[in-house]
Amino acid sequence: MAITQIAPGIHYVGVNDRTTTRFEGLWSLPQGVSYNAYLVVGEKVALIDTVEEAFGSRLEANIREIIGDRKVDYLVVNHMEPDHSSSITALRRIYPDLQIVANAKALQMIEGFYGLCGNTVEVKEGDTLDLGGKSLSFRMIPMVHWPETMVSWCPEEQALFSGDAFGCFGALDGGITDSEVDPERYWDEMRRYYAAIVGKYGAPVQKALQKLAGLEIRSICPTHGPVWQEQIGRVVDLYDRMSRYEGEPGVVIAYASMYGNTEQLAERIARELAAEGVRNIRIYNLSYADPSVVLRDIFCFDTLLVGGPTYNAGLFPPVAELLDKLAARCIPQRRFGWFGSFTWAGASVKLLGEFAQKMKWETLGAPVEMKQGFSPKMYDSCRALAHDVAEKFHGKA
Ligand code: FEO
């Protein structure tokens, strides 16, 4: 059996990227990322998605390893974002008769991005492509996380080509399927990927999960990360919980500090929380923390405490940036507490309170506001806020 085969007649032809440092120009890739593409070989050959264009020659070599000089008949574009589509132009040069199979929105984007419009097959919900011995049917899952997103289903092998859905950061270190890797390595990277990339689109992800719920899936073949075969239940459950915005009991304390005084508030509140038996506390200094890691943990835990100094009569920029990211992701509910500082005129505590109101989040305790430097006189207010958070944590309030 070819080492690329993940199911009879289905081969992995994707690549690893261990050089790009910022996914979408934004998100860190400490463990790299894979761009997954798949070849479905029947009497006809279909390629499902492509790879980032810098890796196009590797994609071609991977395809040729499997089918030699046979041609690729179809390219199915489940998702048009360029990390998966930017090799289309090169593929068209290599396989001039290649028919591009996509929905109307994706075809419009393919023309807009690459100027390609001929030799296309437009598909709609439920349409089937017969490859001879294998087939693919298409289901639309709009806004997971672009409007054109769809999945392809191969009923003969019960394989779901899911696009970014069920994807995760982290390159593939040799193994392709989850039975060939240590899956533990990928869970945090899946949460981080979800929070950073898909996080705004909880409702469309829920709709997609409902639409796909009836399928007896043996392989989930996403566009990033391992092919899931043994851990399908856990993967679906993780996406379900993340897209419901359900946080488990735990507290993220996200703060920024110019001279260490607000930082001491954060440390003190955290210490009081721990003394009250709160576990799962994560503290992040927003001037230095990786934003995708902070977002990941805010998605994972049910309580968020944010603090920062007043700056230019407003929020300190790293704090403002976090709030922007949270508002953009439309997180419907978190327990929220806040703290802040000022030297001559306070603004950050007031503005954090307005943020909580705008998000319609449940607020906890009295906000802690500090004038100028940290001192023992702040202990009582830190303890009081921590106590109210702990009461909720323990289910007493
Ligand atoms: Fe992996 Fe939305 O592109």
Side-chain angles (χ1 to χ4, degrees), residues 23 79 81 83-84 145 164 193 224:
F23 191 78
H79 180 26
E81 195 161 8
D83 54 332
H84 308 295
H145 60 128
D164 281 351
Y193 176 86
H224 301 289

Side-chain angles (χ1 to χ4, degrees), residues 23-24 33-35 79-84 144-146 148-149 163-164 193 197-198 223-224:
F23 191 78
E24 294 183 344
V33 66
S34 68
Y35 309 116
H79 180 26
M80 229 308 296
E81 195 161 8
D83 54 332
H84 308 295
V144 181
H145 60 128
W146 275 29
E148 88 301 358
T149 42
D164 281 351
Y193 176 86
I197 308 297
V198 191
T223 43
H224 301 289

